[in-house]
Amino acid sequence: MTPSTADRVAPLLQQRIKAVFRRLPKALAGGEEDLHQMRVAGRRLRVALPLLVLKPEGQRARRSSRLLRGLTRTGGISRDLDVSVALFEADLAKDPPSAEDRVLRRRLRAARTRGHGRMAEALLDLEIARLRRDLRVLARRSDGVFAVLRRIRELRDGQGTETLALIAAIGESFDPVELHRLRRRVRRLRYAAELSGALKGQVAAAAAEFRALQDELGALHDTYVLSEWFRRQAQSCQARGDAAVGKAAAALHERFLSASRAHHKAFLALPPADVVARALAAMGQSRPAA
C-alpha cells in the first residue's frame, strides 16, 4: 500500500454519492440516459456503501441501502421500455415498416410514456430527502482501507462461490428469470472489483471479465423482455379479434425470442464458469473447494 492509499476510501464514497444525485433531476424529468446512469450509479453506491462506511450495520447505512434499492428498482420498468423502443426502432429501420408494425410501434411508445409517468410519481414518493441526509452523514467517516479490502475479499469469496453454484445449477438451460438473477450477482462482483482496483490504484482486470458476462446477459434480457411484450400484444389482439396486428405481434415475438436465445448461446460459448473463475482469481481468490 502506498501512503496515499488510505486517503482513497472517503473520496470513493463521496464520488459515488454525488453520481446518484447529479443524475436524479433529469431522471425525474424523463431523461432516458439520465435515468439509466442514475440507476447504474445507485447500484454502484449500494454495493459500495456496506464496504466503505465506518458502521455498515448501523441504522443509517441499512436505511440508505433500502432506499437506494427502491430508487434503482423504481426506474426498472421504465428503463426496460426505453430499451424495448430502441430495439424495435432499430429493427424497423432495416426495412420499411408495415401498417401493423406502425400500430405496434405506437402502442410500445405509448407504454413507454405511461411508464415514465408512473416512474416519476414513484420516485417522488421515495424518501429522497432522508436518503440525502443519511448519506451526507455516512460520507463524513469512511472506514480504513484494510477493513474495506477485507470486506471486499469476503464479498468476493461468498458471492463468487454462490455465482459459480448458480451457473452450475442453470447449466445450458434457457431460463431468463434465473439468468437475470445471475446477471445481478455478476454485476455486484464487477462493482466490488472496481472498488478494489480503485483503492489499490490499479486497473481492475476482473471488472472487465465480469462486464463481458454482464453485457451478454443484458442483451439476452433486453430482447427477451421485448419478445414478451409482443407475446402479450398477440394475445390481446387475438382476444379483440384484431387478426392482422396479432399475427405481426406473434411474428415479432418469435423474432426477438430467437435473438434472446442467440445471446444465450453466445453467453454459453464464453464459457461463463471459466470467466467467473478467471475474474475471481484476478481479485485474489483461491480456487473454491470441490
Side-chain angles (χ1 to χ4, degrees):
M1 297 289 173
T2 65
S4 62
T5 304
D7 301 330
R8 292 183 180 140
V9 179
L12 273 176
L13 179 56
Q14 291 159 7
Q15 288 165 11
R16 276 158 175 71
I17 291 172
K18 288 178 182 177
V20 174
F21 292 104
R22 185 184 306 121
R23 296 283 185 169
L24 185 57
K26 290 184 178 180
L28 283 168
E32 293 179 23
E33 184 60 20
D34 289 286
L35 171 62
H36 173 60
Q37 293 301 332
M38 182 203 70
R39 294 184 70 233
V40 170
R43 288 193 295 257
R44 274 198 170 96
L45 177 56
R46 191 161 172 253
V47 170
L49 207 59
L51 298 173
L52 301 182
V53 299
L54 188 61
K55 296 180 179 180
E57 298 301 323
Q59 183 179 3
R60 289 185 191 276
R62 287 186 288 109
R63 184 167 58 214
S64 295
S65 181
R66 174 177 56 80
L67 290 172
L68 283 167
R69 184 181 186 184
L71 188 68
T72 55
R73 287 193 170 186
T74 295
I77 294 176
S78 182
R79 175 61 182 169
D80 281 346
L81 286 166
D82 287 337
V83 173
S84 289
V85 168
L87 284 173
F88 191 27
E89 295 280 9
D91 187 70
L92 291 178
K94 297 173 185 176
D95 296 295
S98 66
E100 292 78 18
D101 289 336
R102 290 193 292 271
V103 169
L104 290 166
R105 179 170 58 187
R106 284 197 301 271
R107 291 179 184 175
L108 184 54
R109 286 173 172 175
R112 177 181 62 176
T113 299
R114 292 192 298 272
H116 283 175
R118 288 192 295 268
M119 177 210 65
E121 290 178 4
L123 285 175
L124 289 171
D125 287 340
L126 293 174
E127 300 175 83
I128 301 296
R130 169 64 69 87
L131 175 62
R132 192 187 294 271
R133 287 195 301 270
D134 282 345
L135 290 174
R136 188 179 297 121
V137 173
L138 291 168
R140 291 173 187 163
R141 294 191 65 191
S142 54
D143 213 337
V145 67
F146 293 107
V148 172
L149 290 173
R150 184 191 70 247
R151 290 175 192 151
I152 292 175
R153 286 194 299 272
E154 291 169 354
L155 182 148
R156 174 201 67 200
D157 292 346
Q159 290 289 326
T161 299
E162 291 175 10
T163 299
L164 288 170
L166 183 55
I167 290 172
I170 296 171
E172 296 188 359
S173 300
F174 178 69
D175 186 338
V177 173
E178 286 300 287
L179 288 164
H180 189 52
R181 188 158 74 93
L182 174 61
R183 181 190 178 197
R184 291 196 296 268
R185 288 189 178 277
V186 168
R187 185 171 61 208
R188 196 173 302 133
L189 284 165
R190 173 192 162 195
Y191 293 158
E194 289 175 348
L195 277 177
S196 180
L199 283 171
K200 297 173 183 177
Q202 301 172 352
V203 174
E209 298 275 15
F210 290 129
R211 177 67 185 268
L213 284 177
Q214 185 186 336
D215 285 349
E216 206 61 67
L217 287 169
L220 182 159
H221 172 76
D222 293 340
T223 46
Y224 179 74
V225 166
L226 183 53
S227 78
E228 283 293 285
W229 187 86
F230 284 122
R231 181 184 62 79
R232 293 190 296 271
Q233 282 294 308
Q235 291 175 341
S236 176
C237 289
Q238 184 179 13
R240 293 197 304 267
D242 190 353
V245 176
K247 183 178 179 180
L252 285 162
H253 161 66
E254 292 297 333
R255 183 185 306 175
F256 283 98
L257 182 59
S258 294
S260 186
R261 289 184 177 277
H263 285 296
H264 181 237
K265 288 181 180 178
F267 164 75
L268 292 176
L270 288 170
D274 289 356
V275 175
V276 170
R278 195 162 58 239
L280 293 173
M283 291 180 74
Q285 185 195 49
S286 57
R287 183 179 297 275

